[in-house]
Amino acid sequence: MSDRPTVIAIFGVTGDLARRKLIPALFSNFIKGRLPDRLRIVGVGRREWTDATLFDHAHQALKNHAAAIYDERAWERFRPMLSYSKVNLPQPETYRNLKDDLDALDNGDSNRLYYLSIAPEFYHDVICNLGVLGMARENGRERANTAPSWRRIVIEKPFGYNMESAQSLNRVVHSVFNESQVYRIDHYLGKETAQNILFMRFANTIFEPIWNRSHISNVQVTVAETVDVGTRAGYYDSSGVMRDMVQNHLLQLLSLIAMEPPSAFDADALRNEKVKVLQAARAVRLEDTVRGQYDGYRCAAGVAPDSSTPTFAALKLFIDNWRWKDIPFYLRSGKAMRQKTTQVNIQFKRPPNSIFELTEAGDYSRNMLSICIQPDEGIHLTIEAKIPDQQIAKSVDMELHYENAFVSEDLPDAYERLILDAINGDAALFIRGDEIESAWKIVDSIIEGWECDPAAPAMQRYERGSWGPAAADDLLERDEHTWRLSCLHQS
Ligand code: BG6
């Protein structure tokens, strides 16, 4: 490891993400001995805090959000790595203070990670001001026998509000940073089981030969949440489920499922293949979409009383390439739903000919491979098996549960992986600029249709605690499919 110091500057250190995720993720990596030597963490915020205020804040964050790993002695060693620097984000003159604070830590000679965990309207200001002060410049003072220093920026979602704003943000980013310095986060890619999609597909030989339109009937991605809008109406009511969940998390899962095998597990190879999937998506027809809003959403604090923001969406999408042509990918996501579950269900085609008595349902069930992203992480394979003493088949599950298969390993939080990857310069699990734009293109045309096309499907109401509006079931029934769910907690 380089002897050069590493500095992480967390913009928005006083906010929710830093408290719940970033500080605990850094602490956990620290305990595991995975952080670089000579690391400093600078919390950046506009409040009149001192280092001591930040210590208290971080201490409390760890006790509340990392209770399982919290250790007083480790905290005592972690605390001196922290310091606070005040910046008023829209005011350029205050960045000088930040630069001085950072330079004082390392003589301007460190590796630096700028982590933007702030409201997106400030991205532009921060990036430009870092640029003006030359703080994105790498390799400032190269010393003999040392690796060049690096400067990286991590940018949280939402990255833009639509394709146009994402393009414009990309232009701003690229006016200061090279793409290789940019790490756009989608925390779903940091989830262990999302990463395991790649291992399952490309560390085994049995799946790839059947991973195509000849054997697969349809693919379903469900990301259901029980939480409602809560206190986030200010952001959510102007975004809705398409921007909040589909543009990023669902399309990323889809890309991992549908991509061609990359030639290597590195950022370029992986992202080249993922972006091809998004670029091959056929424009989604409005009649293949469903939008819904849960009962009571408009009464939530901060939501417009006549809000037409969807809290649920379902859609059918096709990938026009040789592997997937005409195979439907059904995606759905919603808030205030019955159970929290993220799962991908891949249904295979039925046997072409039957030599056994059929079930009462009149046909075999389709074999289904379910990738349970969360909770109860695992993989299920549903197959037809002979019912003892009868000549009839019944669907049974072969199940892998992470908690049983990996008893001594814990499941790290997604941010733990991602923050470490950014420090180590591995951008494989981060979104490239062209991927973001391709995903927006898919989502924009649906949102525009919903907002402007008189023929767009009407907003459906759905009950809290349901699986969404009935129209989402109709969407699949038209194709003689039904939403399938595996991986559920029985309740
Ligand atoms: C975020 C969305 O990106 O993901 C939230 O903004 C959503 O609305 C959250 O609740 C879901 O993440 P997870 O990891 O709880 O599934």
Side-chain angles (χ1 to χ4, degrees):
M1 219 173 258
S2 132
D3 68 344
R4 202 185 287 277
T6 302
V7 176
I8 302 179
I10 304 178
F11 289 78
V13 75
T14 61
D16 197 47
L17 184 73
R19 181 171 55 239
R20 286 188 305 109
K21 298 290 183 183
L22 305 183
I23 295 170
L26 284 163
F27 186 69
S28 180
N29 278 318
F30 173 71
I31 289 181
K32 292 176 183 169
R34 292 179 177 165
L35 295 182
D37 299 337
R38 304 181 62 201
L39 177 77
R40 300 298 305 261
I41 301 165
V42 179
V44 182
R46 59 184 136 173
R47 297 196 194 162
E48 290 293 344
W49 279 16
T50 60
D51 290 352
T53 337
L54 179 64
F55 296 160
D56 288 347
H57 177 76
H59 197 199
Q60 209 49 51
L62 294 176
K63 285 185 161 172
N64 293 341
H65 302 288
I69 55 164
Y70 182 77
D71 166 15
E72 195 66 34
R73 273 184 304 184
W75 161 249
E76 290 301 332
R77 287 187 291 119
F78 184 73
R79 187 178 56 179
M81 293 161 52
L82 303 173
S83 59
Y84 183 73
S85 182
K86 179 174 181 288
V87 172
N88 198 343
L89 300 180
Q91 290 177 359
E93 61 279 11
T94 62
Y95 288 77
R96 171 60 59 187
N97 174 46
L98 174 68
K99 184 172 179 349
D100 290 346
D101 283 352
L102 298 184
D103 287 350
L105 291 176
D106 58 26
N107 290 325
D109 192 31
S110 66
N111 296 319
R112 280 196 201 156
L113 186 70
Y114 304 112
Y115 197 119
L116 303 198
S117 165
I118 50 177
E121 58 262 34
F122 296 119
Y123 288 171
H124 182 276
D125 286 328
V126 174
I127 293 163
C128 290
N129 284 308
L130 292 176
V132 168
L133 293 178
M135 294 168 75
R137 217 173 296 131
E138 298 191 316
N139 210 5
R141 289 186 205 172
E142 211 173 340
R143 292 168 302 180
N145 304 323
T146 56
S149 65
W150 50 257
R151 299 279 192 272
R152 297 182 189 133
I153 185 163
V154 178
I155 306 177
E156 272 292 335
K157 75 174 263 283
F159 192 94
Y161 183 75
N162 51 24
M163 162 103 129
E164 205 185 323
S165 54
Q167 283 174 330
S168 135
L169 181 55
N170 269 334
R171 277 194 295 274
V172 172
V173 170
H174 291 149
S175 69
V176 176
F177 293 92
N178 296 321
E179 179 62 30
S180 63
Q181 295 173 280
V182 184
Y183 291 70
R184 297 175 195 77
I185 280 220
D186 182 320
H187 77 278
Y188 266 54
L189 290 183
K191 291 182 189 279
E192 283 291 328
T193 32
Q195 294 173 59
N196 191 44
I197 295 175
L198 296 173
F199 279 78
M200 198 190 72
R201 288 191 59 194
F202 307 129
N204 295 292
T205 51
I206 59 173
F207 298 115
E208 211 42 35
I210 54 170
W211 209 261
N212 55 50
R213 65 193 302 278
S214 306
H215 298 277
I216 288 176
S217 145
N218 68 92
V219 177
Q220 305 180 6
V221 181
T222 295
V223 182
E225 297 187 274
T226 49
V227 292
D228 59 16
V229 64
T231 54
R232 300 172 70 219
Y235 150 74
Y236 192 86
D237 200 39
S238 59
S239 295
V241 66
M242 291 298 289
R243 295 187 174 95
D244 185 49
M245 298 295 288
V246 177
Q247 187 273 342
N248 33 71
H249 308 325
L250 278 89
L251 290 180
Q252 283 300 318
L253 291 176
L254 170 93
S255 313
L256 295 178
I257 295 292
M259 67 191 274
E260 295 300 314
S263 56
F265 188 40
D266 68 38
D268 278 340
L270 202 68
R271 299 187 299 180
N272 285 345
E273 297 306 335
K274 276 167 59 205
V275 77
K276 282 186 212 161
V277 171
L278 299 174
Q279 287 167 349
R282 193 187 302 169
V284 177
R285 300 183 317 170
L286 282 184
E287 59 264 43
D288 291 337
T289 66
V290 175
R291 53 178 163 159
Q293 195 183 70
Y294 65 80
D295 289 337
Y297 172 72
R298 292 175 176 186
C299 300
V303 171
D306 58 349
S307 170
S308 57
T309 299
T311 62
F312 173 96
L315 54 107
K316 175 164 70 166
L317 185 144
F318 293 98
I319 315 264
D320 283 340
N321 62 19
W322 274 53
R323 189 187 281 264
W324 297 116
K325 182 87 176 172
D326 293 335
I327 300 303
F329 285 76
Y330 301 105
L331 313 185
R332 67 173 166 170
S333 181
K335 294 220 181 278
M337 292 179 71
R338 183 171 307 166
Q339 267 189 40
K340 178 165 176 73
T341 180
T342 299
Q343 49 183 284
V344 180
N345 292 301
I346 297 155
Q347 285 198 285
F348 292 87
K349 294 191 168 167
R350 295 194 168 100
N353 182 36
S354 172
I355 60 168
F356 305 114
E357 283 179 41
L358 294 175
T359 57
E360 280 177 4
D363 208 341
Y364 302 113
S365 293
R366 294 187 171 90
N367 296 151
M368 183 166 80
L369 181 69
S370 302
I371 302 166
C372 311
I373 307 285
Q374 64 178 15
D376 196 4
E377 293 77 2
I379 295 171
H380 301 189
L381 181 62
T382 311
I383 58 165
E384 297 292 274
K386 181 180 178 303
I387 303 178
D389 208 22
Q390 297 183 37
Q391 293 305 316
I392 297 177
K394 179 184 172 202
S395 300
V396 291
D397 252 14
M398 295 164 64
E399 300 188 5
L400 163 84
H401 295 270
Y402 266 51
E403 64 184 9
N404 301 334
F406 302 105
V407 182
S408 51
E409 290 88 1
D410 64 340
L411 274 179
D413 186 79
Y415 278 92
E416 213 176 302
R417 165 91 265 134
L418 294 176
I419 217 163
L420 200 61
D421 283 358
I423 292 170
N424 292 332
D426 182 353
L429 299 177
F430 294 81
I431 319 293
R432 209 167 55 190
D434 53 349
E435 276 185 275
I436 287 264
E437 292 179 14
S438 302
W440 275 120
K441 188 172 169 213
I442 296 170
V443 161
D444 272 4
S445 73
I446 299 171
I447 297 175
E448 269 166 42
W450 284 353
E451 288 173 357
C452 307
D453 190 332
M459 178 73 79
Q460 309 286 316
R461 306 268 149 231
Y462 65 98
E463 277 179 42
R464 286 166 165 279
S466 68
W467 286 110
D473 299 329
D474 300 341
L475 178 70
L476 272 67
E477 269 161 33
R478 293 204 296 264
D479 300 340
E480 300 182 358
H481 295 311
T482 48
W483 289 106
R484 298 284 305 274
L485 286 169
S486 189
C487 336
L488 285 186
H489 289 307
Q490 301 308 324
S491 58

